[in-house]
């Protein structure tokens, strides 16, 4: 766990000649074998989200092993999904964990600072007044553990766009589609494109108005589904294995609302 990383830092710092040197994690994953079924799942994506939220606290760099599934040490794989190490399956099919990295990468597009971090979320406030964040539901089981989170985001009064991108068992699960098609070992081009279409996050948008707090001269709160002046962004239930990009508030007139293109799909989190 994360405690072991602190132990590593303490051991290094005990030696005067090494104290304070950078730590680089050159390989990490949820399993050390190239045919672990977990690698292809949404559960893996949620688990890695938690890792990304913490690994940078004491390490200069950390490298996920690996980007692609073509890994020859135990023979070239013969099916698109086989539990390979990679973020991308054969045929350039992004696995759910691919989007974990995309979502976290977009937290750093632009100038901002972290305003909240816990075991299930990271929220940032950007210089332009918008918010970005990642929420995940990390569990060793794939069902039966829902959780609810309340967020209070202080904004200026006005109307806001809320954009969410969701990766879960139902909305971004190319592995399930592949199984439902009979698990073809060598899908043709049309089938591969169909599988890739099921490998994209579910996008939802809405507009909400943030009202001034009664009796407050400065500082307003963004609320959804609650009365005027209420402070909390409402409860959200996140199914097991879900990695969820949470509320994003963008002041009217900002120019960075449109989506931007990233490899193997589009996602705008900025």
């Amino acid at each position: 766990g994360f405690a072991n990383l602190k132990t590593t830092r303490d051991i290094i710092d005990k030696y005067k000649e090494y104290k304070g040197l950078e730590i680089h994690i050159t390989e990490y994953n949820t399993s050390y074998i190239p045919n672990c079924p977990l690698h292809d799942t949404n559960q893996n994506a949620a688990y890695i989200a938690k890792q990304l939220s913490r690994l940078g606290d004491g390490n200069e760099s950390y490298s996920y092993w690996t980007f692609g599934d073509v890994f020859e040490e135990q023979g070239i794989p013969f099916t698109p999904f086989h539990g390979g190490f990679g973020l991308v399956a054969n045929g350039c099919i992004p696995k759910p964990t691919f989007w974990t990295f995309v979502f976290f990468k977009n937290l750093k597009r632009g100038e901002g600072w972290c305003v909240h971090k816990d075991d299930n979320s990271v929220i940032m406030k950007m210089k332009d007044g918008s918010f970005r964040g990642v929420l995940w539901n990390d569990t060793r089981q794939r069902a039966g553990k829902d959780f609810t989170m309340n967020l209070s985001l202080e904004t200026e009064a006005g109307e806001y766009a809320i954009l969410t991108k969701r990766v879960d068992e139902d909305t971004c699960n190319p592995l399930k589609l592949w199984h439902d098609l009979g698990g073809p070992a060598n899908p043709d081009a049309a089938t591969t494109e169909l599988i890739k279409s099921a490998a994209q996050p579910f996008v939802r948008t809405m507009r909400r108005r943030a009202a001034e707090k009664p009796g407050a001269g400065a500082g307003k709160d963004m609320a959804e589904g609650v009365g005027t002046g209420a402070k909390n962004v409402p409860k959200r239930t996140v199914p097991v294995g879900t990695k969820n990009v949470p509320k994003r508030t963008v002041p009217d007139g900002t120019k960075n609302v449109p989506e931007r293109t990233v490899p193997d799909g589009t996602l705008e989190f900025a």
Side-chain angles (χ1 to χ4, degrees):
F2 296 116
N4 289 336
L5 297 176
K6 178 64 166 58
T7 301
T8 301
R9 178 79 270 169
D10 291 342
I11 292 173
I12 292 173
D13 287 346
K14 284 182 179 179
Y15 297 89
K16 182 169 58 177
E17 61 270 38
Y18 302 123
K19 185 175 181 179
L21 287 181
E22 297 174 352
I23 297 177
H24 297 265
I25 300 176
T26 57
E27 297 179 17
Y28 76 96
N29 203 311
T30 47
S31 170
Y32 59 88
I33 58 175
N35 56 355
C36 176
L38 180 65
H39 293 153
D40 298 337
T41 66
N42 298 86
Q43 185 181 13
N44 194 79
Y47 184 85
I48 292 299
K50 185 175 182 178
Q51 302 298 307
L52 292 183
S53 74
R54 300 290 180 179
L55 285 174
D57 292 349
N59 303 285
E60 189 68 19
S61 69
Y62 34 100
S63 176
Y64 187 82
W65 185 266
T66 61
F67 185 80
D69 261 358
V70 179
F71 185 76
E72 81 291 347
E73 287 186 7
Q74 293 191 12
I76 300 299
F78 293 99
T79 60
F81 294 99
H82 57 279
F85 283 127
L87 298 173
V88 179
N90 192 26
C92 292
I93 303 168
K95 299 184 189 180
T97 307
F98 172 88
W99 297 106
T100 302
F101 284 85
V102 173
F103 290 170
F104 272 85
K105 175 66 175 179
N106 278 287
L107 290 178
K108 300 296 289 182
R109 292 188 185 276
E111 187 176 344
W113 55 94
C114 182
V115 295
H116 176 81
K117 182 166 76 170
D118 60 27
D119 286 342
N120 296 101
S121 65
V122 175
I123 309 293
M124 293 186 65
K125 184 172 184 179
M126 310 310 293
K127 187 177 180 180
D128 65 3
S130 65
F131 290 88
R132 307 177 192 175
V134 184
L135 272 69
W136 59 91
N137 188 359
D138 167 41
T139 177
R140 293 182 183 271
Q141 292 77 38
R142 296 182 67 180
K145 181 191 173 186
D146 292 347
F147 78 93
T148 299
M149 175 173 288
N150 290 315
L151 297 174
S152 180
L153 305 176
E154 191 169 286
T155 71
E156 295 298 320
E159 192 173 53
Y160 291 81
I162 301 174
L163 168 65
T164 63
K165 291 179 180 282
R166 187 182 183 98
V167 173
D168 63 18
E169 297 281 348
D170 297 322
T171 62
C172 185
N173 193 347
L175 175 64
K176 179 182 183 301
L177 177 61
W178 180 71
H179 279 308
D180 290 345
L181 294 176
N186 297 290
D188 59 24
T191 302
T192 298
E193 288 303 311
L194 177 62
I195 297 171
K196 288 171 70 173
S197 73
Q200 304 297 314
F202 176 75
V203 180
R204 182 187 180 195
T205 58
M206 65 186 76
R207 295 192 71 81
R208 291 291 184 268
R209 179 168 293 278
E212 286 194 33
K213 294 182 189 176
K220 290 83 180 173
D221 285 310
M222 182 78 179
E224 176 196 342
V226 290
T228 300
K231 295 182 63 175
N232 286 332
V233 173
K235 294 182 178 180
R236 307 188 65 188
T237 301
V238 184
V240 168
T242 294
K243 174 173 43 55
N244 194 41
V245 182
K247 307 300 180 201
R248 172 178 179 243
T249 58
V250 184
D252 284 352
T254 52
K255 295 182 179 180
N256 62 348
V257 177
E259 296 187 344
R260 68 197 302 173
T261 301
V262 296
D264 296 312
T266 59
L267 178 91
E268 174 51 33
F269 198 44

